[in-house]
Amino acid sequence: ISEAVAFLTEKNAKVPQQDEATYYQTAQITNDRYISVGSQADTNVIDLTGDDKDDLQRAIALSLEESNRAFRETGITDEEQAISRVLEASIAENKASLKRTHTEVWSDSPNPHDRKRQENCPVGLKNVGNTCWFSAVIQSLFNLLEFQRLVLHYSPPARMQDLPRNQKEHRNLPFMQELRHLFSLLVGSKRKYVDPSRAVEILKDAFKSSESQQVSFCHLHTIIEWGEKPKNPMVDLFYGRFLAVGVLEGKKFENTEMFGQYPLQVNGFKDLHECLEAAMIEGEIESLHSTENSAKSGQEHWFTELPPVLTFELSRFEFNQTLGRPEKIHNKLEFPSMLYMDRYMDRNRDITRIKREEIRRLKEHLTILQQRLERYLSYGSGPKRFPLADVLQYAMEFASSKPVCTSPLEDVDTTALPGGTTAQLPPPARQGSGSGPQAQQQQRVSIHKPFTQSRVPPDLPMHPAPRHITEEELRVLEGCLHRWRSEVENDTRDLQASISRIHRTIELMYSDKSMMQVPYRLHAVLVHEGQANAGHYWAYIFDPHQQQWMKYNDISVTKSSWEELVRDSFGGYRNASAYCLMYIDDKKPFLIEEEFDKETGQMLSGLDKLPPDLKEYVEADNKLFVREMEEWDTLQARKLQQEKLALAAASVAHDLEYMEQQSPTGDSKHLQEDTERAISKAAAEHDEKSPEALLNTAVKVEYTRLLRFAQEDTPPERDYRLQHVIVYFIHNQAPKKIVERTLLMQFADRNLGFDERCKSIMKVARAKLELIKPDEVNMEEYEMWHQDYRKFRDTTVFLLIGLELFLKKSYVEALMYLIFAYQYNKELLAKGPYRGHDEELIAHYRRECLLKLNEHAAVLFETGEETEVNAGLSIMNELVVACIPLLLVDEMEEKDMVAVEDMRNRWCSYLGQEMEPNLQEKLTDFLPKLLDCSTEIKSFHDPPKLPSYSTLELCERYGQVMTSLTLSRTPADGR
């Protein structure tokens, strides 16, 4: 197939006499007419599924000769149509010079415990670069337990003579081996997700088409077919048969076809049954074989044998011949969770035809009734139309209004218009008015000026009313209008009721039990988000044992719901929609039944489901993973022990210098002033006290001052936590011993004042510190509290600089500060609500900064200038795309989710616009990165280096920037 794609795209340059549209049509005819898989109707065809290049070239030559005789023969299988669509997409992609490159692969977390599988949680698949399509398909097949068993228990040929003879089957063997390994890991791995790289590479090498996701998906069923078809259990699972019956140029025909994925058109249909009805009946069309023969042709499809797994391919991509590229169809298409296929079965052919005819008749009647109803609901002959019942009601209200005897322009105060002019108005048309020259003259009337006069004249009519109407006229008119309105309302209700009854009759046409004997339950929905040339794939798969829908999104496997599935799969919401539906025969429970031990009768799970060789393979991988976790734990324990030894080995001198050298406030001078102030106040109260008594009093004075600050209700711009570590500790209910030791450290500072009183107090404080036993104060906890405070100050500095840059519109520089401010702050808030700053505030400006950068990058891209475009895409790749997972990681943050969607929609909107090929190529390269829904956080560089601020300077600048935000805040900020 890949050779056919390459050959056709090469031939494009060798057909100068044909325009692109003609060539595109020729390529489709080539596949429709000459590619046949499993057809029993036409044995004189050229098979392009083999390895014979001569056959391929002969097919192309024949198609070019008949390019002006475009026609479609009957009996075309679904696989032929799938191949045709693949070729269409490939040709379009080649012509538009659209190239895909792998998205950046997110690195694994260094901590293996983050990659550990939760108990009973399904295993995900790592996205190794544009492979989300592979993950979605593989997970859908893996969760078909019968298919899972077939793969796990597949045995490759053991003897040389049993090896496959052709290249295709040789190619399948390594893939099947790797698929067994992959499935076994999905069954029994201890990892949260596994790496499918090897299977993906084999698959890509098999088709030589690593850049075409559609090709690989369309032929996934083909490549996993091992052995000859009669011996292949895959045929029994996925392949069925239908009967094509019809008339071709007046001659009846009947052909049996095999099908796997059944293709359905989406455009123009509202639900799956409408798509199926259209696919099963190809209406009468004029034959294009000959201009002389105008006989009608048409055909019907009737399923004779449905497969246990019924797969529908929804054609949501179409080729725009004007623009020369494929486009995605975003129309809404509904599909049921339970699908009854009785109406499409050959054995029900007669009754279905009767019902179809009845539905056709009802729809014709429905059209007539809807047209009649429309005349009642949109009444009038002009461009503006209204419901007839309302028109009659308005007429009744007008007739019933109090009659007036004057014109609405009379009794208005006569005043001159500005500038000394007056308004020239014609006299009102009165009954019985004269027709003489004086009556025909225009008279001067002043216009009421609402902005210059204090009140509206009291006699001015407030609403239109009849000028003259008698009681008898009013009585007759009101009676007529009331009667007519009642008739119109009754007619409208009758029409609406009849329309509803017809809709209900059509809905229930196939609801009798005889037409509900072939039930198929929805097993999996494969979803694509994005446009024709770029996007992301995931799958919704039903777990029948938990009665729960699951969402398989690369490494992420989460519980979902039917409501979420409907939102993302029906279409019309964002750019997401289903492109493949997998139904399973509800009367064949073996498809999804677990396997049981024949001796014990217990259900097999985990490694017990695997054959010996795969069990050994998974156990070996699990041992590697366990060893990785043990090595990590050993390394972390060693680091922790080293930290404890270093902490224990620290001398008292180091503790005493702590407040000076590593003071949490970062400002020893400010701390010394506070300490000396407390000592002076204590001395004033107790002039003759001993140094120890003065120390105790000074500590109480200082603590009382700080406690008052902690209890004070202050605005955001005045945060006392920044002024002293003790205020922070009080806010967060730090242990009493931690607070006491911190205060003692403050009074033990050797740089305290030079007078004898301060020196003596400093010596007493040091002596008290030396008397504190190791078990009285947990030094690890002590250090942890002070580390948290240092992180709080760092968070404040990150936020301060980020907001200052944001207000200066320096969004590129501001982003990293806001990113690290949010990250540090979130870590603090995880320990308590007062450990950090307002999370919503930081999230708001982080989000706004990304939106501003996205807008700026889009504006640069729109210029079309190479330098500007590259600069814009650089901003997106290095900043915006890298930060999007930070916004997606918490799905509860609705504003962040909306912002991401807005950014993506801005760039997706360019896909439908005309642009230079080089811009189109850059856009196509960039979009998969933007649309990647992975929430794997990319590791950022080291945080920006922070300047050193004194406590006074930090508090002042923080207060200024918070005040600026308050002054610039608007209701639109949502804050």
Side-chain angles (χ1 to χ4, degrees):
I1 299 302
S2 59
E3 292 173 0
V5 174
F7 188 85
L8 284 173
T9 49
E10 264 183 37
K11 288 292 276 184
N12 193 19
K14 302 177 183 179
V15 192
Q17 72 276 17
Q18 293 179 307
D19 61 12
E20 184 176 331
T22 305
Y23 181 77
Y24 171 80
Q25 187 180 41
T26 301
Q28 181 169 347
I29 295 166
T30 302
N31 290 283
D32 287 344
R33 177 161 175 75
Y34 295 107
I35 301 179
S36 175
V37 181
S39 172
Q40 298 178 4
D42 188 357
T43 58
N44 189 23
V45 296
I46 298 172
D47 182 8
L48 298 188
T49 60
D51 300 321
D52 193 340
K53 294 184 179 180
D54 293 334
D55 281 350
L56 175 63
Q57 295 181 15
R58 188 155 54 91
I60 301 299
L62 286 171
S63 71
L64 294 177
E65 290 175 7
E66 300 185 2
S67 61
N68 60 346
R69 295 172 54 204
F71 64 92
R72 186 180 179 86
E73 284 201 354
T74 58
I76 298 169
T77 66
D78 70 302
E79 193 164 356
E80 297 171 48
Q81 295 175 19
I83 295 169
S84 174
R85 276 184 293 279
V86 173
L87 290 170
E88 294 167 16
S90 300
I91 294 168
E93 205 167 329
N94 179 270
K95 286 297 293 177
S97 299
L98 304 177
K99 299 178 181 178
R100 294 186 187 86
T101 61
H102 288 191
T103 55
E104 185 174 0
V105 181
W106 301 106
S107 59
D108 293 324
S109 169
N111 184 350
H113 291 281
D114 294 339
R115 296 180 266 119
K116 185 178 179 181
R117 178 184 182 181
Q118 299 299 315
E119 188 176 1
N120 297 325
C121 183
V123 178
L125 288 171
K126 183 178 178 181
N127 189 335
V128 292
N130 266 356
T131 58
C132 46
W133 63 271
F134 180 84
S135 301
V137 173
I138 287 296
Q139 293 283 23
S140 301
L141 295 173
F142 172 78
N143 281 277
L144 280 170
L145 298 186
E146 178 64 13
F147 179 84
Q148 182 189 120
R149 285 187 284 270
L150 286 172
V151 172
L152 293 176
H153 294 283
Y154 164 71
S155 298
R159 300 180 305 173
M160 184 65 66
Q161 57 266 35
D162 295 332
L163 287 174
R165 298 178 181 178
N166 60 48
Q167 180 183 353
K168 173 185 172 183
E169 294 178 12
H170 265 296
R171 179 184 64 191
N172 293 344
L173 287 177
F175 179 77
M176 281 309 303
Q177 290 281 43
E178 192 57 39
L179 194 62
R180 290 183 75 238
H181 289 158
L182 188 58
F183 271 29
S184 65
L185 291 174
L186 292 176
V187 167
S189 178
K190 291 186 177 181
R191 303 176 191 267
K192 179 181 177 181
Y193 55 89
V194 295
D195 191 332
S197 299
R198 177 60 184 154
V200 172
E201 289 305 316
I202 294 174
L203 188 61
K204 288 178 178 178
D205 291 342
F207 288 119
K208 309 293 184 185
S209 183
S210 61
E211 305 300 331
S212 179
Q213 297 175 5
Q214 291 91 341
V215 169
S216 297
F217 170 72
C218 285
H219 297 290
L220 188 62
H221 287 172
T222 304
I223 200 168
I224 57 180
E225 290 177 4
W226 62 91
E228 296 296 328
K229 275 197 173 183
K231 301 176 183 178
N232 187 351
M234 287 297 301
V235 174
D236 296 332
L237 267 186
F238 293 100
Y239 284 83
R241 294 181 183 277
F242 67 83
L243 189 67
V245 297
V247 178
L248 177 62
E249 299 178 353
K251 296 180 180 180
K252 292 183 180 181
F253 66 87
E254 192 168 299
N255 300 320
T256 300
E257 300 290 344
M258 180 181 286
F259 71 94
Q261 294 178 120
Y262 201 83
L264 296 174
Q265 294 297 322
V266 169
N267 218 354
F269 305 111
K270 69 175 183 178
D271 59 41
L272 186 62
H273 277 299
E274 284 193 359
C275 296
L276 272 166
E277 288 283 349
M280 301 300 282
I281 305 174
E282 294 189 7
E284 290 187 346
I285 54 174
E286 280 202 24
S287 172
L288 300 178
H289 285 71
S290 172
T291 56
E292 299 177 359
N293 189 340
S294 60
K296 300 291 184 178
S297 299
Q299 65 174 319
E300 294 175 335
H301 288 181
W302 299 97
F303 292 117
T304 57
E305 181 184 345
L306 288 175
V309 182
L310 182 57
T311 308
F312 295 115
E313 180 196 346
L314 303 182
S315 300
R316 283 197 172 270
F317 299 94
E318 62 183 6
F319 187 79
N320 187 322
Q321 297 189 36
T322 304
L323 298 178
R325 62 170 178 256
E327 291 183 339
K328 186 177 178 184
I329 301 168
H330 295 291
N331 298 358
K332 183 176 181 180
L333 183 81
E334 299 178 0
F335 48 84
S337 58
M338 185 67 75
L339 178 69
Y340 293 95
M341 294 295 293
D342 303 72
R343 69 182 81 173
Y344 310 109
M345 301 302 294
D346 182 52
R347 61 176 177 267
N348 296 324
R349 190 191 307 187
D350 293 336
I351 189 170
T352 299
R353 283 174 173 169
I354 293 172
K355 289 180 179 290
R356 283 177 179 171
E357 179 58 29
E358 179 63 15
I359 290 175
R360 185 194 63 78
R361 187 187 63 79
L362 287 172
K363 286 185 175 180
E364 288 178 355
H365 186 47
L366 185 64
T367 301
I368 295 172
L369 293 180
Q370 287 172 333
Q371 289 172 349
R372 289 179 182 174
L373 179 62
E374 184 65 19
R375 296 190 185 104
Y376 280 93
L377 298 180
S378 299
Y379 186 80
S381 57
K384 291 185 178 180
R385 304 190 176 194
F386 305 92
L388 180 53
D390 291 348
V391 173
L392 295 172
Q393 177 65 26
Y394 301 151
M396 190 185 303
E397 291 172 359
F398 174 78
S400 303
S401 299
K402 181 181 178 180
V404 295
C405 300
T406 60
S407 164
L409 293 176
E410 292 190 1
D411 300 327
V412 180
D413 293 342
T414 303
T415 56
L417 290 173
T421 61
T422 57
Q424 299 294 325
L425 297 174
R430 300 173 179 270
Q431 288 186 356
S433 62
S435 59
Q438 190 172 1
Q440 296 174 1
Q441 284 183 349
Q442 294 178 335
Q443 64 185 62
R444 296 177 182 273
V445 180
S446 175
I447 296 178
H448 172 61
K449 298 178 292 181
F451 295 105
T452 58
Q453 293 181 315
S454 61
R455 62 185 178 87
V456 177
D459 298 331
L460 183 65
M462 299 307 294
H463 54 76
R467 194 68 55 78
H468 294 287
I469 185 169
T470 66
E471 290 294 331
E472 183 179 358
E473 288 173 336
L474 179 60
R475 186 169 58 255
V476 172
L477 184 57
E478 282 185 336
C480 292
L481 290 172
H482 183 75
R483 184 174 69 254
W484 295 339
R485 186 168 183 268
S486 296
E487 292 172 356
V488 167
E489 288 177 342
N490 290 335
D491 290 346
T492 302
R493 278 195 297 270
D494 291 344
L495 284 168
Q496 289 172 335
S498 296
I499 289 172
S500 296
R501 280 195 300 272
I502 292 176
H503 276 301
R504 185 63 177 161
T505 302
I506 292 174
E507 288 175 4
L508 298 176
M509 186 64 68
Y510 294 98
S511 61
D512 53 289
K513 289 186 177 180
S514 65
M515 298 299 284
M516 300 177 70
Q517 300 301 309
V518 188
Y520 273 77
R521 185 177 59 76
L522 187 62
H523 164 69
V525 179
L526 278 63
V527 178
H528 173 269
E529 181 182 28
Q531 300 294 338
N533 300 315
H536 182 66
Y537 297 81
W538 67 89
Y540 290 102
I541 304 172
F542 188 70
D543 184 339
H545 306 288
Q546 298 187 46
Q547 291 295 300
Q548 174 78 52
W549 281 99
M550 304 293 290
K551 182 178 181 179
Y552 289 79
N553 188 357
D554 289 335
I555 67 170
S556 172
V557 183
T558 55
K559 290 184 177 181
S560 185
S561 64
W562 175 253
E563 290 71 27
E564 183 183 4
L565 183 153
V566 166
R567 183 195 69 186
D568 288 346
S569 305
F570 279 10
Y573 173 74
R574 302 191 301 188
N575 292 320
S577 54
Y579 71 96
C580 183
L581 307 176
M582 195 176 288
Y583 284 88
I584 58 176
D585 191 335
D586 202 44
K587 290 186 175 182
K588 295 180 178 176
F590 71 89
L591 293 169
I592 51 174
E593 275 184 346
E594 294 285 358
E595 198 172 356
F596 291 84
D597 187 278
K598 295 179 181 179
E599 295 181 359
T600 64
Q602 292 183 342
M603 186 179 76
L604 298 178
S605 61
L607 297 177
D608 293 336
K609 298 172 66 174
L610 303 178
D613 65 319
L614 291 180
K615 186 175 182 179
E616 183 179 341
Y617 173 79
V618 175
E619 286 176 340
D621 184 74
N622 285 340
K623 286 179 182 177
L624 287 174
F625 185 59
V626 170
R627 189 183 309 156
E628 186 181 351
M629 289 190 289
E630 290 172 349
E631 290 174 354
W632 171 268
D633 293 340
T634 302
L635 178 62
Q636 300 308 309
R638 189 181 299 121
K639 287 182 179 179
L640 184 61
Q641 184 65 24
Q642 290 172 351
E643 291 173 0
K644 287 182 178 180
L645 291 173
L647 195 62
S651 64
V652 174
H654 172 270
D655 289 340
L656 293 174
E657 293 174 358
Y658 174 74
M659 295 300 289
E660 176 186 358
Q661 297 178 356
Q662 297 191 33
S663 168
T665 64
D667 183 11
S668 58
K669 183 179 180 180
H670 169 77
L671 198 60
Q672 291 163 19
E673 290 174 354
D674 289 342
T675 308
E676 290 170 2
R677 192 181 301 111
I679 292 173
S680 298
K681 191 171 182 179
E685 294 178 5
H686 307 282
D687 192 35
E688 296 182 0
K689 290 276 184 175
S690 64
E692 184 174 354
L694 281 176
L695 172 63
N696 292 337
T697 303
V699 168
K700 291 179 181 177
V701 168
E702 178 69 352
Y703 181 76
T704 302
R705 179 181 76 91
L706 298 174
L707 180 63
R708 188 175 65 253
F709 284 162
Q711 294 173 338
E712 187 175 334
D713 187 14
T714 58
E717 54 266 24
R718 191 170 60 187
D719 192 338
Y720 284 125
R721 292 177 300 172
L722 292 172
Q723 296 190 14
H724 203 290
V725 63
I726 296 296
V727 178
Y728 182 81
F729 285 175
I730 294 172
H731 265 287
N732 292 285
Q733 300 177 340
K736 183 180 177 182
K737 292 290 185 181
I738 303 293
V739 175
E740 290 175 353
R741 182 179 175 84
T742 303
L743 279 170
L744 273 178
M745 292 290 291
Q746 179 177 333
F747 285 88
D749 183 0
R750 65 159 53 96
N751 292 319
L752 213 55
F754 295 102
D755 60 81
E756 290 301 320
R757 184 175 58 194
C758 286
K759 287 182 179 179
S760 62
I761 288 176
M762 180 262 291
K763 291 178 181 179
V764 172
R766 289 190 170 199
K768 282 182 173 289
L769 283 171
E770 291 176 353
L771 291 175
I772 296 176
K773 298 178 181 178
D775 57 346
E776 291 182 16
V777 177
N778 186 327
M779 290 304 295
E780 291 181 16
E781 186 180 15
Y782 176 84
E783 178 63 18
M784 181 272 293
W785 276 95
H786 282 281
Q787 284 177 351
D788 281 356
Y789 186 66
R790 287 194 292 273
K791 179 174 279 190
F792 172 70
R793 280 180 58 94
D794 287 347
T795 303
T796 306
V797 177
F798 277 128
L799 178 59
L800 168 66
I801 297 175
L803 292 177
E804 286 177 340
L805 291 168
F806 183 91
L807 292 172
K808 294 176 183 178
K809 300 184 179 180
S810 301
Y811 304 120
V812 172
E813 295 83 359
L815 181 61
M816 275 302 110
Y817 287 98
L818 293 173
I819 289 294
F820 280 99
Y822 186 89
Q823 178 181 329
Y824 280 26
N825 195 64
K826 194 172 186 69
E827 293 171 2
L828 288 170
L829 292 180
K831 298 182 177 182
Y834 301 105
R835 293 288 184 112
H837 294 284
D838 180 4
E839 185 175 28
E840 188 180 348
L841 180 138
I842 306 177
H844 171 79
Y845 286 99
R846 180 184 69 162
R847 182 170 59 247
E848 287 298 309
C849 194
L850 281 169
L851 287 169
K852 297 286 187 185
L853 286 173
N854 186 76
E855 178 64 24
H856 177 56
V859 170
L860 291 175
F861 182 81
E862 288 172 358
T863 64
E865 298 292 334
E866 184 76 14
T867 305
E868 304 291 314
V869 169
N870 290 338
L873 291 177
S874 177
I875 290 173
M876 293 301 297
N877 283 315
E878 296 175 12
L879 297 176
V880 179
V881 170
C883 292
I884 279 180
L886 297 173
L887 273 63
L888 292 177
V889 70
D890 187 357
E891 294 188 357
M892 298 303 291
E893 292 294 335
E894 183 65 26
K895 292 179 181 178
D896 284 348
M897 302 289 284
V898 171
V900 171
E901 195 57 38
D902 289 344
M903 288 187 280
R904 287 173 170 170
N905 286 339
R906 176 64 188 269
W907 289 90
C908 284
S909 66
Y910 294 136
L911 287 172
Q913 300 179 19
E914 289 288 348
M915 63 179 69
E916 295 295 326
N918 65 315
L919 290 183
Q920 182 71 62
E921 183 176 343
K922 291 177 184 291
L923 180 65
T924 307
D925 181 29
F926 160 68
L927 275 179
K929 304 173 186 177
L930 181 65
L931 295 174
D932 187 355
C933 292
S934 172
T935 54
E936 283 288 295
I937 307 300
K938 179 183 177 182
S939 58
F940 291 98
H941 298 297
D942 294 334
K945 188 175 181 181
L946 295 179
S948 177
Y949 291 134
S950 70
T951 297
L952 181 62
E953 184 182 4
L954 178 59
C955 292
E956 286 182 352
R957 290 185 64 173
Y958 182 76
Q960 290 170 359
V961 75
M962 294 302 291
T963 302
S964 299
L965 294 181
T966 305
L967 294 175
S968 63
R969 196 172 300 155
T970 64
D973 291 333
R975 302 265 320 132

